Amino acid sequence: MSEPGRRPLMAGNWKMHKTTGQARDLASALVAGAKDDRVEVMIAPPFTALATVAGVLAGSPVQLGAQNLYPAPEGAYTGEVSPAMLVDLGVSYAILGHSERRQIFGESDEFIRQKVAAALEAGLKPVLCVGETLDQRRAGETTAVVEGQLHNCLKGLEAGSAGSLTIAYEPVWAIGTGQTATAAQAEEVHRFIRTWLAGRFDNGLANSVRILYGGSVKADNVRELMSEPDIDGALVGGASLDARSFLAIVGYKG
Ligand code: PGA
């Protein structure tokens, strides 16, 4: 169980799913069903549905997230979306460095570092994703890979700004595969991340930052994951696309 000071966060990453009508229906069902304020709920629809979903979430405790941003205030960046444009829509979180962005779109740690800095500058709360591939895990490189990602993506960050960070540990081999890390495997890396944060910043900050687990989280495995001391929530892909399955995750305490 997460430390008392850390309110669990259950985040739904809708990826490239949902037209505006579908997004309105799903968001409405979540607002109606997410009643437990012991858990913070965030949903990250595609850019095209952000305005619609913001309207549905207005006045509700469910938070709005973006799946990406471009790290510049404005300019000639065809097809991109600035942090200020997201803030303008009522977005409060930004998922950054997701493994799909890293793998499909070739995003580097340095580019992600710029995004984290730009998000914080604009008042958005970054959810920084880190995690190893199956080959890296098999080669015993998990902590080295995660440490490298943390080091590079948080380079230059002041402790004062780091307080609004969330980290998501998402082993690449567990994303969309139905193969979840065991609670013990996840906890080992979460603990490593928290210890790293304590060294890089301080104990107080390390104990307050939420570390989410992501990768095939479902209603039937979330409770075991959440029983670990350093797992403070989940970043959920596939199972966040349906109100019943996401609400079952949000209400993991049963
Ligand atoms: P999944 O995705 O729950 O579908 O495995 C998690 C993620 O990519 O954030």
Side-chain angles (χ1 to χ4, degrees):
M1 178 86 69
S2 192
E3 294 240 329
R6 297 193 300 266
R7 187 172 166 225
L9 172 62
M10 295 297 179
N13 173 10
W14 294 4
K15 307 192 180 183
M16 198 173 73
H17 294 279
K18 308 292 178 188
T19 60
T20 54
Q22 293 167 336
R24 181 183 295 107
D25 290 348
L26 177 53
S28 304
L30 296 176
V31 166
K35 295 291 181 218
D36 182 354
D37 63 5
R38 287 171 299 179
V39 175
E40 183 177 2
V41 179
M42 182 268 272
I43 50 177
F47 286 138
T48 47
L50 281 172
T52 300
V53 171
V56 176
L57 301 188
S60 94
V62 179
Q63 299 292 304
L64 188 59
Q67 299 175 20
N68 189 21
L69 53 74
Y70 189 81
E74 61 180 1
Y77 303 103
T78 301
E80 295 297 322
V81 174
S82 77
M85 292 168 181
L86 299 172
V87 170
D88 181 48
L89 288 179
V91 170
S92 52
Y93 285 92
I95 299 170
L96 301 174
H98 190 279
S99 66
E100 285 150 19
R101 301 289 327 164
R102 293 174 187 266
Q103 294 198 319
I104 305 171
F105 302 101
E107 289 193 5
S108 65
D109 282 348
E110 167 53 21
F111 191 39
I112 297 160
R113 182 197 66 74
Q114 293 173 25
K115 293 183 181 204
V116 170
L120 289 166
E121 175 83 26
L124 292 166
K125 294 180 260 190
V127 179
L128 171 65
C129 303
V130 297
E132 80 289 0
T133 63
L134 190 54
D135 284 351
Q136 289 166 333
R137 174 163 282 266
R138 285 185 175 144
E141 296 168 359
T142 298
T143 51
V145 167
V146 168
E147 178 167 27
Q149 290 169 337
L150 291 169
H151 174 82
N152 295 331
C153 298
L154 300 179
K155 204 179 280 172
L157 185 65
E158 309 274 345
S161 317
S164 44
L165 269 181
T166 299
I167 308 288
Y169 169 57
E170 300 207 303
V172 177
W173 48 272
I175 295 178
T177 57
Q179 198 189 338
T180 331
T182 64
Q185 278 175 323
E187 170 61 18
E188 189 181 0
V189 182
H190 282 232
R191 174 119 292 267
F192 172 80
I193 293 171
R194 200 171 308 284
T195 304
W196 185 88
L197 288 169
R200 167 69 174 79
F201 300 102
D202 56 59
N203 274 330
L205 185 120
N207 284 328
S208 68
V209 166
R210 289 178 296 190
I211 306 174
L212 313 183
Y213 170 78
S216 298
V217 174
K218 305 271 182 304
D220 59 11
N221 58 26
V222 67
R223 195 176 313 189
E224 194 189 344
L225 288 160
M226 289 301 292
S227 70
E228 296 290 344
D230 292 292
I231 300 183
D232 305 313
L235 182 53
V236 186
S240 74
L241 296 174
D242 171 77
R244 277 232 323 237
S245 66
F246 190 54
L247 286 170
I249 290 170
V250 169
Y252 67 94
K253 291 182 186 103

